[in-house]
Amino acid sequence: MQRKSYIIPRLSAMMFFQYFTLGTWFATLGFILSKHGLSSIIGTAYSIGGIAAIISPIVIGMISDRFFPSQKMLALVNIAGGILLWFLPEQIYTKNDNAFLWIMFLYMLCYNPTYSLTNNISFYNVKDTVKAFPIIRVCGTIGFIVASAVVGILGYSGSPVALQIGAIVSVLLGLYSFTLPNTPAPAKGKPLSIRDILCLDALQLLKNRYYLVFIVCTTVLFLDHATYMSFASVFLGDAGVKDVSSVMSIGQFSEVIFMLLLPFFYRRLGFKWMFLVGMIAWVLRMSLFAFSAPEGLVSLMYIGIALHGLCWDFFFVSGYLYTDEVADEKIKGQAQGLIIMLTQGIGMFVGSYFAGKLFNNTVTKTGVASLNQWQTFWVYPAIVAFIVAVFFFFFFKYKRGSSLNDGFINEEKRIGA
């Protein structure tokens, strides 16, 4: 039997290395591809992650929920993902873009289920999740930060080697996952329901016009998030930033700080004003990028990256909490699945696709010569965020609910879901 004193450190290590794997390459993949003559597929490379986010819950999610203990499933997807990740650099070096995209798609099919698997393992094996889970989950963000810093310090920000570092860590984490405490399949023996898989019951939430406004704004604003994740590293590289990976990790430091401050701001602002602060932060971030581009004002670019905590936590993370409050008890799980499918899936896919098209049509030069073109590129997502914020301000209403008023801390564990 596992000693309780070791559970939290072991689960924290699991979360740390799970996000460390992603942190080695996710924020700088666009920069890596641009450095090796594959700029034209950056948008596609990120958009296929969106497709995988739609498919994974249906295929691998169904298998892990009903047939395999979570720790064994986590081990298998990490080992398989690590093997796939290892072969990606060769496709970059040989400029085999089709093979790269197919392998990346398969890898993301493996990685996407790890979000729910690591949460399942944590919730099942920790007695006091309210106190313990935030500590465990924040180790994931720290892992992402450390990975970005390590890759940057080693000089691999624009190198495919970063992917192989992630591959090695992924396989080692897979082996480690076999030693994690047993976490039985949560839905073992339950009948398979198409309504559950496709989140059909959660669609009733859209009958609430204010929630419909929220979900439309969330999905549209994810276009900006996809643009940022796909091309911010490329922008920094053209502006002359050397250690792109470490600079991008500034956003994760910000995310940790504002994640911990969410309960404080919720009690004082409520959902509507938190959402609006997040939207305004998106307008400001994209405007800073556009304003700083022609003169290469790197300090303003850093401020734009540091706004990540407000951009992500105040809108998207708060959105998970808002969804949990308005959803009926019977469909809370489906409701969270629906919002993830619409954002991480459809929003990421559409956003990355159009961001790729915009990039290919506007940023036709490289290095310093491209900075004026980057200004045009960032103006478009700034306009999108501004329109979303104005629309949301006039059409969304929220009456503070009793469930979060009575104890916001009880919902904090859902922040990492």
Side-chain angles (χ1 to χ4, degrees):
M1 184 171 177
Q2 304 291 339
R3 289 184 59 187
K4 292 183 179 180
S5 59
Y6 292 129
I7 293 297
I8 292 178
R10 292 177 63 204
L11 296 179
S12 297
M14 169 196 72
M15 202 72 77
F16 178 93
F17 288 109
Q18 189 63 66
Y19 284 83
F20 184 102
T21 300
L22 192 66
T24 58
W25 63 269
F26 188 72
T28 56
L29 178 62
F31 184 50
I32 294 170
L33 293 174
S34 69
K35 294 280 285 186
H36 291 80
L38 292 174
S39 297
S40 62
I41 68 165
I42 294 174
T44 307
Y46 279 96
S47 68
I48 58 178
I51 300 174
I54 297 172
I55 297 175
S56 288
I58 298 176
V59 182
I60 297 181
M62 178 192 67
I63 295 173
S64 62
D65 281 349
R66 285 170 169 77
F67 302 107
F68 289 97
S70 293
Q71 81 279 4
K72 292 184 179 180
M73 197 68 196
L74 183 67
L76 293 175
V77 294
N78 270 305
I79 292 173
I83 294 171
L84 290 166
L85 205 56
W86 180 264
F87 289 104
L88 282 175
E90 180 62 26
Q91 316 313 316
I92 296 174
Y93 290 131
T94 60
K95 294 182 172 54
N96 191 343
D97 52 356
N98 286 329
F100 174 86
L101 293 172
W102 274 109
I103 295 175
M104 176 57 74
F105 174 67
L106 294 174
Y107 171 74
M108 292 307 294
L109 282 178
C110 291
Y111 190 87
N112 273 305
T114 66
Y115 296 117
S116 59
L117 289 170
T118 51
N119 287 346
N120 288 343
I121 294 170
S122 299
F123 288 137
Y124 185 84
N125 292 285
V126 173
K127 184 176 181 180
D128 191 344
T129 57
V130 172
K131 291 182 178 179
F133 184 72
I135 297 172
I136 295 169
R137 176 58 185 85
V138 82
C139 286
T141 302
I142 294 172
F144 195 103
I145 293 169
V146 172
S148 299
V150 168
V151 169
I153 292 170
L154 293 176
Y156 292 137
S157 293
S159 171
V161 173
L163 293 157
Q164 293 184 320
I165 295 175
I168 293 171
V169 174
S170 183
V171 172
L172 293 176
L173 175 60
L175 297 175
Y176 170 73
S177 297
F178 282 116
T179 73
L180 292 172
N182 185 51
T183 307
K188 188 173 183 179
K190 293 184 179 180
L192 182 62
S193 169
I194 298 298
R195 297 187 67 84
D196 290 340
I197 294 174
L198 298 180
C199 307
L200 295 181
D201 290 327
L203 291 177
Q204 66 182 273
L205 285 172
L206 302 184
K207 295 179 182 179
N208 180 326
R209 62 175 176 173
Y210 298 130
Y211 189 79
L212 178 61
V213 169
F214 161 75
I215 206 69
V216 169
C217 290
T218 301
T219 305
V220 174
L221 195 58
F222 217 84
L223 305 184
D224 276 34
H225 177 70
T227 303
Y228 170 77
M229 293 307 301
S230 301
F231 291 102
S233 64
V234 185
F235 174 50
L236 293 174
D238 282 345
V241 175
K242 300 299 181 184
D243 190 354
V244 173
S245 183
S246 296
V247 170
M248 289 293 291
S249 71
I250 294 173
Q252 276 62 52
F253 278 107
S254 172
E255 182 183 338
V256 170
I257 293 171
F258 284 103
M259 183 90 71
L260 297 175
L261 291 174
L262 269 183
F264 172 83
F265 281 106
Y266 170 78
R267 286 191 293 268
R268 284 154 181 79
L269 298 178
F271 279 128
K272 179 170 183 175
W273 290 104
M274 286 184 68
F275 290 153
L276 282 170
V277 168
M279 293 177 187
I280 293 169
W282 275 106
V283 177
L284 182 58
R285 164 186 270 180
M286 298 309 186
S287 299
L288 283 170
F289 283 174
F291 181 79
S292 65
E295 302 299 326
L297 302 176
V298 177
S299 59
L300 295 184
M301 299 176 194
Y302 288 0
I303 294 174
I305 295 170
L307 287 171
H308 186 69
L310 287 172
C311 292
W312 181 255
D313 294 336
F314 272 50
F315 193 78
F316 295 113
V317 173
S318 295
Y320 299 145
L321 296 173
Y322 171 62
T323 298
D324 186 78
E325 178 177 316
V326 300
D328 183 84
E329 191 68 33
K330 296 178 180 179
I331 61 167
K332 286 184 183 294
Q334 278 196 31
Q336 294 295 336
L338 176 65
I339 192 173
I340 290 174
M341 185 179 295
L342 290 172
T343 55
Q344 302 279 7
I346 295 174
M348 193 69 183
F349 169 68
V350 175
S352 298
Y353 175 80
F354 281 107
K357 290 290 186 182
L358 178 63
F359 173 79
N360 292 334
N361 289 327
T362 58
V363 186
T364 58
K365 301 177 182 178
T366 59
V368 177
S370 69
L371 292 181
N372 283 323
Q373 297 176 329
W374 276 111
Q375 182 178 50
T376 302
F377 177 87
W378 292 117
V379 163
Y380 286 98
I383 293 173
V384 169
F386 178 77
I387 293 173
V388 170
V390 172
F391 177 82
F392 186 85
F393 176 78
F394 285 107
F395 293 99
F396 179 84
K397 291 183 180 180
Y398 169 73
K399 183 177 181 180
R400 191 182 290 259
S402 59
S403 60
L404 293 187
N405 274 337
D406 294 340
F408 183 91
I409 190 67
N410 290 330
E411 300 299 332
E412 280 187 278
K413 64 183 180 180
R414 297 185 181 275
I415 288 176

